[in-house]
Amino acid sequence: MKSEEKEDRGRIDISTEECKGCGLCVEACAPNVMQLSDGFNSRGYHPAVYLGSGCTGCGVCFFACPEPGAITVYTLLSPAKAAEAASLSLATTTL
């Protein structure tokens, strides 16, 4: 992994049809992993898009967005926590 690349700790989904292209989420995003699209949605707005990596899962974009339901933030588990959760899941399902 390059020194400038960071492990994704989150992921966001943006509903392009809900987004009005105000850019508040883009400005609020500290890791700068969002931008306004060059294309238009069906309402004629340039919706925000996720660049695909680097999300910290902080949720600031969600809170900055004035449009309910336009942004969903997912916090990802670290590989160690994912392995621990999987082992706990196996332990509870084999009882």
Side-chain angles (χ1 to χ4, degrees):
M1 184 178 335
K2 294 179 185 176
S3 61
E4 58 206 44
E5 285 183 21
K6 293 185 179 180
E7 180 180 334
D8 287 339
R9 294 180 293 173
R11 179 177 61 84
I12 57 174
D13 286 338
I14 302 169
S15 172
T16 57
E17 291 305 310
E18 294 291 325
C19 180
K20 303 299 186 282
C22 69
L24 291 174
C25 60
V26 175
E27 291 299 318
C29 182
N32 297 314
V33 296
M34 301 173 72
Q35 68 181 22
L36 293 179
S37 172
D38 290 334
F40 296 101
N41 63 13
S42 65
R43 295 183 174 111
Y45 297 111
H46 292 280
V49 292
Y50 175 46
L51 298 179
S53 64
C55 180
T56 62
C58 69
V60 172
C61 58
F62 172 83
F63 291 108
C65 181
E67 192 62 40
I71 299 176
T72 305
V73 179
Y74 299 95
T75 302
L76 305 177
L77 293 175
S78 68
K81 287 186 180 181
E84 181 182 335
S87 68
L88 289 175
S89 175
L90 289 175
T92 58
T93 57
T94 57
L95 294 177

